[in-house]
Amino acid sequence: MATDYKTLAGQEFDRGAFESLLRRKVFLWQSFEPYGATKGLFDYGPPLETLEAEVINIWRDHFIRAEKMMSLKCSMLTPYQVLKTSGHVDKFADFMCKDPKTGEILRSDHLIKDVIEERLKGDRIARGENVSDEPEDPKKKKKSKAAKTAVKLDDAQVKEYEHLLATLDDQTGDDMGAIIKKHDIRNPSNGNEVEPPVAVNLMFQTQIGASGKEPAFLRPETAQGQFLSFQKLVEFSDGQLPFASASIGYSFRNELSPRSGLLRVREFLMAEVEHFVDPESGKKHPKFASVKDVKLPLLSRDVQQAGGSTPVEVTIGEAVATKLVDNETLGYFLVRIMLFMQKIGVDQKKLRFRQHMANEMAHYAADCWDCELLSSYGWIECVGCADRSAYDLSVHMKATGQPLHIREPLKEPKRVEEYVAQLDKKKSGPKFKKDAGKVQQALDDLTQDIKEKLSISLEKDGKVEVEVPELGKVELEKDLVAIQKEVRTETMREFIPNVIEPSFGIGRILYSLMEHAYWTREGDAARSVMSFKPTVAPIKVLVVPLQKDTRFASSLAELEQRLDDESISFRVDQSGVSIGKRYSRNDELGIPFGVTIDYQSLEDNSYTLRDRDSTKQVRASLDQILEAISKMVKGKESWSDVQKHLPAFEGKEEDKE
Amino acid sequence: MATDYKTLAGQEFDRGAFESLLRRKVFLWQSFEPYGATKGLFDYGPPLETLEAEVINIWRDHFIRAEKMMSLKCSMLTPYQVLKTSGHVDKFADFMCKDPKTGEILRSDHLIKDVIEERLKGDRIARGENVSDEPEDPKKKKKSKAAKTAVKLDDAQVKEYEHLLATLDDQTGDDMGAIIKKHDIRNPSNGNEVEPPVAVNLMFQTQIGASGKEPAFLRPETAQGQFLSFQKLVEFSDGQLPFASASIGYSFRNELSPRSGLLRVREFLMAEVEHFVDPESGKKHPKFASVKDVKLPLLSRDVQQAGGSTPVEVTIGEAVATKLVDNETLGYFLVRIMLFMQKIGVDQKKLRFRQHMANEMAHYAADCWDCELLSSYGWIECVGCADRSAYDLSVHMKATGQPLHIREPLKEPKRVEEYVAQLDKKKSGPKFKKDAGKVQQALDDLTQDIKEKLSISLEKDGKVEVEVPELGKVELEKDLVAIQKEVRTETMREFIPNVIEPSFGIGRILYSLMEHAYWTREGDAARSVMSFKPTVAPIKVLVVPLQKDTRFASSLAELEQRLDDESISFRVDQSGVSIGKRYSRNDELGIPFGVTIDYQSLEDNSYTLRDRDSTKQVRASLDQILEAISKMVKGKESWSDVQKHLPAFEGKEEDKE
């Protein structure tokens, strides 16, 4: 997939040249460079930091404001107990193998994959096949050169290895341990045997305060804070479901060996929505009708199981009607996600929705679709849209005893008949003393079936036996307990909402967006362009006085003041090189519009306005130019609109070089 | 100070009522409430999260865009070595005392202060004075009730205690240990003796990866990441000083015992600017002339030393001219800080700039001014504006050997005469072998003075002795070394810029802003209002249909659509209560404008627009109303402007209740 990847102009994508541009224009770099850089941590320079801010503002407007979501900011530092309950302490882990001689830590699945792939490659070389060295990961390439040897394997072995690679994602730690032993898999960099796989939790641990009594983690997702704020959401919304919270914040994963640049990092910005619905509502969405005719590229579970990878274009109305997408709410969010991607300028031909396979989902999840974006690394999950059911609220409610549920009046009171087992307080108190509560709790916890059986036994035998936690079996005589059917009227309904969760990885989206925006001018690979949409471009306007001449000073000052008055960001390039060159090097920053001040400007107060993508220009008065820019950076007009009402300027950029 | 604190309407500030509003309208709460809440960590609900986003957007516009700062996003996880170099590992600490019996950790200065204040209070009671229980901290109040006993002290003792409190901030750990011993200071909650003060670092520690070889901290400030990105800033700006970077991000302090709500927390958002200047420029600022007539309330070091606390209103031009403020750059930023505070709606009567006393500043700092905001907790530092000199870049450059400096061509080449000591390589190589480099380094490190002396000795005695690290004294004969005066021409200048750092604590600013915005309607303390400026208010418009009536549905839908089209946030309140009540309860969210849909709206498409602060109303067409709202939320018009061109509406709110 990666090798087929094309730029938006249909050119071969040259990742080396692209990464060189990112470095040169300080979009990003590994953090702490002077100290040797730290893997999996990145700093953003001015272009990327500002791009992120613009994307986040659009996200806020598109989701929080337009959908009236309740925005939350929750703490990153999270007490141990919260993440114990959520399951992260026990399950949020990768397996690693230690090289006991060097102390090196290797991710078990990476280790197996690297070694087996090398052997298969060696086999192909021995068989005289052409082995291309896809440079998927520069580090891997280096290693492979050192380790690769042409050793022919027998056909059964090749088959076993290929099967092993295909099923690697499904293996447990013990499975991987057996594979490592059976196939004598060793540390490829030195041939050392490695220790069996051990689960290593991926959370960063620390402690709050100095007492040592408050172990804590940096959160691995923003979701838990939102669940624990559930009662606040109920208060703010008067408890009217459906409602949604949204949170934009950082999460952390202590990756054992980070790869793939911005796509797998240790500290990352997420934007997560928790949309709470009444499970009895059929997960309908009030605004579904407004989106039902929008077409989405959907790659279903069934197609994937049959080995396919081509999405089907289908309206979300049809997809929900045929149950391809489980429910309206999930469907509504898929559409909103796609519209968001359009707004920020993602190439729509490089976007698809892929349904999770059954074994990819958490056991409690009902359905899950990923919005994937195509980059030179292949299709990458950038947004997960999962139905988390009532899992999280349920476990936290159970662990804390706090009411993380909705109580609402029933439309009609409900008559409920059920067995109730009740200790006689006067007699049980003296007998059980402080344990009386435990006994009553054990009675309350019995199912209706058992209560019914016990009521019959009690009638028949005059006593029953009940298992009480901490106390063991307790015998209750007839005078101590009553078990009988009672009738009561319920007026309130209590239930735990289900949650649909669209979860955005902002760093991955930004990386994909940068790849999508990158291309080079025809005939000149050195003239590269970042075609960011005017609405997200980090800097909106490039101002270029024709040359260094003090006569331009007052026009320049006026133009700067006018742009400032409109809060439009701009850069002035007064360096001595030609205008063409100045435009060209600022195209790499993705500045969508350029304004030239020339000698005619001094005479008639007219300026040329240049469009980055087409390099076409118009010429008009300062007021007209500013109005056009202002509308375009707000997304209210496009360049072709502007071309229609402002006269073209014929002077070519090349002429000025 | 705290007790004198008044609301913007001049009323006594009732912190209990204010905090109750914040809870009720879910502005904020302690994080992880269902798990018992964690001290020093806060979650923001929708009103405060959105307020923060609005304030940050204004900050970005006011500083990053308008001042053309280079925005950076740097990692929060920070390797040990970085913070070792910066001094934080050794010096970023508080002293604590442990209660060995309970394991409780007490901050030493808090412990001493609490106990001594109690004794002084007991003395005043014994002397029959009236002791008011200022509820500065609800927890302290509780403790004091338990501990307070009326014991009269002799006058000398009272004096000693008072002096001790006044000088407590200056005490070292050993000093505090001596005080605790001398005055028998014990844990106030149980009377236990405590262990001597121990320095506890305030950074959260963790580790990167699973190897145990990468200890790391959560950063205590965003500044270090900016310093380590210095070379990127040079590349992006072509090295033209002055230039500035800016970073909005989270920092962490593991406070031992957090107090005072949002004012002292463990995880907090900062906005920090690092403005780099050439130390030989006199720290002039190119835009200083544009602000020189702005008046600032300045509380100087001298006034404070003389016991005063009243700032002087003076223009920044005068302040810099008289050296009250050290330089133009510092002065320029003080003005920009004040203008920012005005933009977000800080009460200008509750703002002052306080100069640091000499002992408050780091040893390398040249001058430092805090922008303090008055709240019911007193004057609180919300922005620090310090001159950090060249300290940080210097120490990192020294530790890493990376060039964190500026190289620029000298205007005129400089002739330099200096002594050079050079080993004869042919002869010194065989003699010193691998140590030859060390000897040469030791020679290079000698000062000019010493080289001159050695050159004379060498001439006279035919040999010199040099101290070489790791080797000790080394004798060098004349044939091994030449020491003579050489002349060369320098064309480049290398220097480390100085840094002016305005550093904003966003949480403290938000808290102060909320207190400044809070007041209650005359005659009705229950009708409280949050008077956020329209530009920062979390929700801009309240829409209230007169009553539940399906005939309003289409007008409502149109109004909603029109507000959405303008990206103006709004809330619809369709509950059954009176319009007056609906306005009143949404005043607590600080919604600045209200639009009523009534029966007349259905006839002539006119609506009433209500101003939160004055409760005055105008009535106009939908287009006019929307235009007025749009201008006001962008800060381009005020309510009084709107009143001038739209007709007043006479129907009183009270009539509708």
Side-chain angles (χ1 to χ4, degrees):
Chain A
M1 185 63 68
T3 48
D4 290 345
Y5 185 73
K6 298 271 193 293
T7 71
L8 69 90
Q11 305 144 326
E12 287 300 320
F13 180 83
D14 178 345
R15 199 196 286 159
F18 171 71
E19 287 180 347
S20 154
L21 184 154
L22 297 190
R23 262 196 309 277
R24 212 164 51 241
K25 296 293 177 180
V26 297
F27 277 79
L28 78 161
W29 58 90
Q30 272 193 304
S31 302
F32 311 111
E33 258 190 14
Y35 284 83
T38 305
K39 270 193 198 169
L41 294 177
F42 289 87
D43 287 358
Y44 291 6
L48 186 52
E49 198 280 341
T50 314
L51 183 71
E52 181 184 84
E54 296 280 16
V55 165
I56 289 296
N57 272 341
I58 292 176
W59 197 94
R60 291 189 73 91
D61 189 70
H62 186 80
F63 288 103
I64 297 177
R65 187 200 53 78
E67 302 286 343
K68 295 199 170 39
M69 291 171 173
M70 292 177 276
S71 55
L72 295 176
K73 166 165 128 164
C74 303
S75 291
M76 292 176 260
L77 288 161
T78 305
Y80 177 92
Q81 203 50 50
V82 171
L83 293 160
K84 177 73 184 169
T85 302
S86 68
H88 287 90
V89 169
D90 297 321
K91 291 182 191 157
F92 191 67
D94 272 348
F95 285 94
M96 63 135 195
C97 295
K98 191 174 174 180
D99 176 335
K101 288 191 187 151
T102 64
E104 199 181 341
I105 304 293
L106 302 156
R107 228 178 94 171
S108 309
D109 55 347
H110 287 179
L111 169 67
I112 295 172
K113 188 161 173 268
D114 289 352
V115 171
I116 299 294
E117 279 179 348
E118 273 318 299
R119 290 184 191 169
L120 287 171
K121 212 175 270 176
D123 173 67
R124 290 205 298 283
I125 293 171
R127 287 170 194 248
E129 288 172 29
N130 183 15
V131 177
S132 75
D133 231 354
E134 314 93 289
E136 220 186 57
D137 184 330
K139 261 165 259 107
K140 229 169 78 190
K141 195 178 163 188
K142 221 172 73 197
K143 268 191 206 159
S144 75
K145 274 201 180 138
K148 189 163 23 188
T149 42
V151 176
K152 189 172 180 303
L153 309 169
D154 66 39
D155 291 0
Q157 180 74 78
V158 169
K159 262 215 158 125
E160 186 178 359
Y161 279 169
E162 281 169 349
H163 175 75
L164 197 157
L165 288 179
T167 54
L168 194 54
D169 283 352
D170 285 335
Q171 306 302 330
T172 64
D174 287 346
D175 292 343
M176 288 193 283
I179 291 169
I180 287 168
K181 217 161 176 181
K182 178 175 174 195
H183 298 291
D184 190 32
I185 286 172
R186 292 156 178 261
N187 185 344
S189 58
N190 53 27
N192 291 342
E193 282 188 41
V194 298
E195 291 178 356
V198 178
V200 178
N201 195 284
L202 294 178
M203 292 190 291
F204 287 95
Q205 188 156 11
T206 188
Q207 53 170 300
I208 297 172
S211 69
K213 286 179 194 157
E214 294 184 80
F217 298 99
L218 294 175
R219 68 181 172 199
E221 57 175 14
T222 73
Q224 298 305 322
Q226 299 186 60
F227 295 134
L228 294 179
S229 306
F230 181 73
Q231 277 306 339
K232 309 290 176 184
L233 300 174
V234 171
E235 278 172 47
F236 196 75
S237 65
D238 300 325
Q240 293 302 304
L241 289 181
F243 61 65
S245 62
S247 193
I248 301 165
Y250 288 87
S251 297
F252 301 81
R253 292 186 194 205
N254 200 357
E255 298 287 348
L256 300 180
S257 53
R259 295 178 169 185
S260 309
L262 265 196
L263 302 178
R264 192 156 284 279
V265 295
R266 284 167 160 158
E267 181 178 317
F268 47 94
L269 188 61
M270 305 178 85
E272 290 191 304
V273 172
E274 309 297 337
H275 180 92
F276 298 87
V277 294
D278 184 339
E280 290 181 10
S281 69
K283 303 183 184 177
K284 298 253 179 243
H285 194 284
K287 287 158 82 178
F288 187 74
S290 67
V291 302
K292 71 179 194 328
D293 296 327
V294 177
K295 282 192 174 177
L296 300 180
L298 299 177
L299 177 59
S300 71
R301 189 178 297 152
D302 292 347
V303 169
Q304 293 172 71
Q305 250 151 6
S309 66
T310 309
V312 185
E313 286 278 337
V314 54
T315 68
I316 195 65
E318 202 186 323
V320 169
T322 59
K323 277 283 174 191
L324 169 56
V325 168
D326 185 70
N327 58 67
E328 283 189 1
T329 298
L330 205 51
Y332 181 76
F333 277 114
L334 297 187
V335 172
R336 291 295 293 171
I337 290 166
M338 192 178 75
L339 296 176
F340 167 73
M341 293 295 185
Q342 277 172 8
K343 270 189 192 170
I344 64 172
V346 159
D347 185 340
Q348 294 297 299
K349 294 188 292 296
K350 294 174 181 165
L351 176 152
R352 74 180 187 192
F353 291 93
R354 189 181 70 78
Q355 191 172 28
H356 272 206
M357 309 299 285
N359 64 355
E360 277 181 275
M361 292 193 293
H363 64 274
Y364 51 80
D367 194 5
C368 185
W369 288 81
D370 285 344
C371 175
E372 297 184 329
L373 301 183
L374 184 63
S375 75
S376 64
Y377 290 93
W379 286 100
I380 301 295
E381 175 199 345
C382 289
V383 188
C385 195
D387 184 333
R388 282 176 91 129
S389 74
Y391 176 77
D392 301 272
L393 289 177
S394 304
V395 294
H396 287 301
M397 183 161 158
K398 195 164 168 222
T400 63
Q402 298 296 310
L404 303 179
H405 59 203
I406 297 272
R407 271 173 64 84
E408 61 174 29
L410 284 166
K411 278 185 194 121
E412 288 180 20
K414 212 163 97 186
R415 188 170 172 278
V416 180
E417 258 191 38
E418 58 180 21
Y419 283 91
V420 174
Q422 182 65 47
L423 286 180
D424 181 305
K425 278 185 191 140
K426 273 194 190 149
K427 288 179 186 154
S428 65
K431 177 155 187 195
F432 296 115
K433 305 208 170 67
K434 67 178 177 44
D435 289 332
K438 285 178 198 158
V439 178
Q440 181 63 53
Q441 187 62 49
L443 288 172
D444 290 345
D445 288 348
L446 298 171
T447 64
Q448 281 296 307
D449 276 3
I450 293 178
K451 282 183 192 167
E452 183 173 1
K453 276 179 202 152
L454 289 182
S455 86
I456 296 166
S457 314
L458 188 65
E459 210 50 51
K460 212 176 92 194
D461 309 331
K463 63 180 182 188
V464 291
E465 216 177 48
V466 179
E467 181 74 32
V468 180
E470 294 175 52
L471 303 181
K473 282 199 169 28
V474 170
E475 201 181 80
L476 299 169
E477 310 250 327
K478 210 177 170 179
D479 61 335
L480 273 177
V481 68
I483 308 181
Q484 53 213 182
K485 200 174 237 178
E486 286 183 5
V487 176
R488 63 192 163 77
T489 307
E490 270 184 5
T491 56
M492 298 298 283
R493 175 181 165 228
E494 273 179 14
F495 65 97
I496 298 181
N498 279 17
V499 175
I500 314 283
E501 178 193 79
S503 170
F504 294 67
I506 301 298
R508 290 178 168 198
I509 293 172
L510 293 175
Y511 180 80
S512 308
L513 187 57
M514 289 192 292
E515 277 206 4
H516 293 192
Y518 173 81
W519 58 290
T520 54
R521 300 241 186 248
E522 210 168 328
D524 189 353
R527 290 180 65 198
S528 39
V529 184
M530 294 294 265
S531 279
F532 297 124
K533 286 183 84 162
T535 43
V536 302
I539 302 173
K540 309 300 185 192
V541 178
L542 178 71
V543 176
V544 279
L546 187 63
Q547 54 198 63
K548 278 189 186 168
D549 187 329
T550 50
R551 278 182 291 168
F552 292 134
S554 78
S555 292
L556 178 59
E558 187 189 358
L559 180 56
E560 293 191 55
Q561 185 61 51
R562 294 286 299 270
L563 288 165
D564 271 337
D565 290 347
E566 297 281 323
S567 284
I568 294 170
S569 61
F570 62 92
R571 180 178 232 214
V572 180
D573 190 339
Q574 297 203 72
S575 60
V577 299
S578 73
I579 287 202
K581 206 161 239 160
R582 279 184 272 168
Y583 274 132
S584 182
R585 71 183 177 196
N586 285 292
D587 285 346
E588 293 193 333
L589 285 172
I591 303 179
F593 306 113
V595 177
T596 314
I597 308 177
D598 54 23
Y599 289 105
Q600 203 186 323
S601 310
L602 304 183
E603 282 168 31
D604 63 4
N605 205 24
S606 76
Y607 298 81
T608 63
L609 174 63
R610 179 243 198 197
D611 172 54
R612 172 199 59 209
D613 294 347
S614 65
T615 72
K616 292 268 186 286
Q617 301 184 69
V618 294
R619 184 161 196 118
S621 73
L622 183 55
D623 285 346
Q624 289 171 314
I625 296 280
L626 281 165
E627 198 193 333
I629 292 172
S630 177
K631 284 189 172 160
M632 289 190 289
V633 301
K634 284 177 190 145
K636 292 188 174 171
E637 262 190 11
S638 66
W639 175 252
S640 59
D641 296 329
V642 169
Q643 275 183 309
K644 273 174 213 149
H645 61 75
L646 294 183
F649 179 65
E650 300 303 330
K652 281 214 177 113
E653 264 177 60
E654 280 69 21
D655 300 345
K656 294 179 194 152
E657 285 190 56
Chain B
M1 187 64 67
T3 48
D4 288 346
Y5 186 73
K6 298 273 193 293
T7 72
L8 68 91
Q11 305 145 326
E12 287 299 320
F13 181 83
D14 178 343
R15 198 195 286 158
F18 172 69
E19 287 180 346
S20 154
L21 183 156
L22 296 190
R23 263 196 308 279
R24 213 163 52 240
K25 296 294 177 181
V26 296
F27 277 78
L28 79 160
W29 57 91
Q30 272 194 304
S31 302
F32 312 112
E33 257 190 16
Y35 284 83
T38 305
K39 270 194 198 167
L41 294 177
F42 289 88
D43 288 357
Y44 291 6
L48 186 52
E49 199 281 340
T50 314
L51 183 71
E52 181 183 83
E54 296 281 15
V55 165
I56 289 297
N57 273 340
I58 292 175
W59 197 93
R60 291 190 72 91
D61 189 70
H62 186 79
F63 289 102
I64 297 177
R65 186 199 57 74
E67 303 286 343
K68 297 203 170 33
M69 292 172 173
M70 292 179 275
S71 56
L72 294 176
K73 167 166 127 164
C74 303
S75 291
M76 292 177 262
L77 287 160
T78 305
Y80 177 90
Q81 202 51 48
V82 171
L83 294 160
K84 178 72 185 171
T85 302
S86 69
H88 287 90
V89 169
D90 298 320
K91 291 182 191 157
F92 191 67
D94 271 348
F95 286 94
M96 63 134 195
C97 296
K98 190 172 173 181
D99 177 334
K101 290 192 185 152
T102 64
E104 199 181 341
I105 304 292
L106 303 155
R107 230 177 94 170
S108 309
D109 56 345
H110 287 180
L111 168 66
I112 295 171
K113 186 161 177 266
D114 290 352
V115 170
I116 299 294
E117 280 180 348
E118 273 319 297
R119 291 185 191 166
L120 288 171
K121 209 175 273 175
D123 172 68
R124 290 205 296 283
I125 294 171
R127 287 170 192 249
E129 289 173 28
N130 184 17
V131 178
S132 75
D133 233 352
E134 316 92 290
E136 217 187 60
D137 182 330
K139 261 164 257 111
K140 228 170 77 188
K141 192 177 162 187
K142 222 172 75 200
K143 267 192 206 158
S144 76
K145 271 196 182 141
K148 187 162 26 191
T149 42
V151 176
K152 189 172 178 307
L153 308 170
D154 65 41
D155 292 357
Q157 180 73 77
V158 169
K159 262 212 159 128
E160 184 177 0
Y161 280 168
E162 280 169 350
H163 176 74
L164 198 156
L165 287 179
T167 55
L168 192 55
D169 283 351
D170 285 336
Q171 307 303 328
T172 65
D174 287 345
D175 292 344
M176 287 193 283
I179 292 169
I180 287 168
K181 217 159 176 183
K182 176 174 178 194
H183 298 291
D184 189 33
I185 287 173
R186 294 156 177 259
N187 184 346
S189 57
N190 53 30
N192 291 340
E193 282 188 40
V194 298
E195 292 177 355
V198 177
V200 178
N201 195 284
L202 294 179
M203 292 191 290
F204 287 96
Q205 186 156 13
T206 187
Q207 54 170 300
I208 297 172
S211 69
K213 286 178 196 156
E214 295 184 80
F217 298 100
L218 295 174
R219 66 179 173 201
E221 58 176 11
T222 73
Q224 298 305 322
Q226 298 185 63
F227 296 133
L228 294 179
S229 305
F230 181 72
Q231 277 307 339
K232 309 290 176 186
L233 300 174
V234 171
E235 280 173 47
F236 197 74
S237 64
D238 301 324
Q240 292 303 304
L241 288 180
F243 61 64
S245 62
S247 192
I248 302 165
Y250 288 88
S251 297
F252 300 81
R253 291 185 194 206
N254 200 358
E255 298 286 348
L256 300 180
S257 53
R259 294 177 168 183
S260 309
L262 266 195
L263 301 178
R264 191 156 283 278
V265 297
R266 287 169 159 155
E267 181 180 315
F268 48 94
L269 189 61
M270 303 176 87
E272 288 191 305
V273 172
E274 309 298 336
H275 180 91
F276 297 88
V277 294
D278 184 339
E280 291 181 8
S281 70
K283 303 183 184 176
K284 299 252 177 243
H285 194 285
K287 288 158 82 178
F288 187 74
S290 68
V291 302
K292 71 179 194 329
D293 296 328
V294 177
K295 282 193 173 175
L296 299 180
L298 300 177
L299 177 57
S300 71
R301 191 178 296 152
D302 292 348
V303 170
Q304 293 172 69
Q305 251 152 4
S309 65
T310 309
V312 185
E313 286 278 337
V314 54
T315 68
I316 195 66
E318 201 186 323
V320 170
T322 59
K323 277 284 174 188
L324 169 56
V325 169
D326 185 71
N327 58 67
E328 284 190 1
T329 298
L330 204 51
Y332 181 76
F333 277 115
L334 296 188
V335 172
R336 292 295 293 170
I337 290 166
M338 191 179 76
L339 295 177
F340 166 74
M341 294 294 186
Q342 277 173 7
K343 270 191 191 168
I344 64 172
V346 159
D347 185 339
Q348 295 296 300
K349 293 189 291 298
K350 294 172 181 166
L351 176 151
R352 73 178 187 192
F353 292 92
R354 188 181 70 77
Q355 190 173 29
H356 273 206
M357 308 300 284
N359 63 354
E360 276 182 277
M361 292 195 292
H363 64 275
Y364 51 80
D367 193 7
C368 185
W369 287 82
D370 286 343
C371 174
E372 297 185 329
L373 301 184
L374 183 64
S375 75
S376 65
Y377 291 93
W379 286 100
I380 302 295
E381 174 200 345
C382 289
V383 188
C385 196
D387 184 334
R388 283 176 90 128
S389 73
Y391 176 78
D392 300 274
L393 289 178
S394 305
V395 294
H396 287 302
M397 184 161 157
K398 194 164 170 223
T400 64
Q402 298 295 310
L404 303 179
H405 59 202
I406 297 272
R407 269 174 66 83
E408 61 174 29
L410 284 166
K411 275 183 197 126
E412 288 179 20
K414 213 163 96 187
R415 190 170 171 278
V416 179
E417 259 190 37
E418 57 182 21
Y419 283 90
V420 173
Q422 181 66 48
L423 286 180
D424 181 304
K425 275 185 193 141
K426 275 194 189 149
K427 288 180 187 153
S428 65
K431 176 158 186 191
F432 296 116
K433 304 207 171 68
K434 65 176 179 43
D435 289 334
K438 283 178 200 158
V439 178
Q440 181 63 54
Q441 186 62 51
L443 289 171
D444 292 346
D445 289 348
L446 297 171
T447 63
Q448 281 295 308
D449 276 3
I450 293 178
K451 281 182 195 166
E452 183 174 359
K453 277 179 202 152
L454 289 181
S455 87
I456 296 165
S457 313
L458 188 64
E459 212 47 54
K460 213 175 90 193
D461 309 332
K463 62 180 183 187
V464 291
E465 217 178 46
V466 179
E467 181 76 31
V468 180
E470 292 174 55
L471 303 180
K473 282 201 170 23
V474 171
E475 200 180 81
L476 299 170
E477 311 250 329
K478 210 176 173 183
D479 61 335
L480 272 177
V481 67
I483 307 180
Q484 51 215 178
K485 199 174 235 180
E486 289 181 6
V487 175
R488 63 192 163 76
T489 306
E490 270 184 5
T491 56
M492 299 297 285
R493 173 180 166 229
E494 273 180 14
F495 66 96
I496 298 181
N498 278 18
V499 175
I500 313 284
E501 179 193 79
S503 169
F504 294 69
I506 301 297
R508 290 179 168 196
I509 293 172
L510 292 175
Y511 180 79
S512 308
L513 187 56
M514 291 192 291
E515 276 205 4
H516 292 191
Y518 173 82
W519 58 291
T520 54
R521 300 240 187 250
E522 210 168 328
D524 188 352
R527 289 180 66 198
S528 38
V529 184
M530 294 294 264
S531 279
F532 297 124
K533 283 182 87 163
T535 42
V536 301
I539 302 173
K540 309 299 185 190
V541 179
L542 179 71
V543 176
V544 279
L546 188 63
Q547 54 197 64
K548 278 187 185 166
D549 188 328
T550 51
R551 278 182 291 169
F552 292 133
S554 76
S555 293
L556 178 58
E558 188 189 354
L559 180 57
E560 293 190 55
Q561 186 61 53
R562 293 287 298 272
L563 288 165
D564 271 337
D565 291 345
E566 298 280 324
S567 285
I568 294 169
S569 62
F570 62 93
R571 181 178 229 210
V572 180
D573 189 339
Q574 297 203 72
S575 60
V577 299
S578 74
I579 287 200
K581 205 162 238 160
R582 279 184 272 167
Y583 274 132
S584 182
R585 70 183 176 196
N586 285 292
D587 285 346
E588 293 193 333
L589 286 171
I591 304 179
F593 306 113
V595 178
T596 314
I597 308 176
D598 55 24
Y599 289 105
Q600 202 187 322
S601 311
L602 304 183
E603 281 168 32
D604 62 4
N605 204 26
S606 77
Y607 298 80
T608 63
L609 174 64
R610 179 246 197 196
D611 171 55
R612 172 200 60 210
D613 294 348
S614 64
T615 74
K616 292 269 187 284
Q617 300 184 68
V618 295
R619 184 162 197 119
S621 74
L622 182 55
D623 286 344
Q624 289 171 313
I625 295 280
L626 281 165
E627 199 194 332
I629 292 173
S630 178
K631 284 187 171 160
M632 288 190 290
V633 301
K634 286 177 190 145
K636 294 188 172 171
E637 263 189 10
S638 67
W639 175 253
S640 60
D641 297 328
V642 169
Q643 275 183 310
K644 274 173 211 148
H645 61 77
L646 294 183
F649 180 65
E650 301 302 330
K652 283 221 179 100
E653 264 176 57
E654 280 68 21
D655 299 345
K656 294 178 191 152
E657 286 189 52

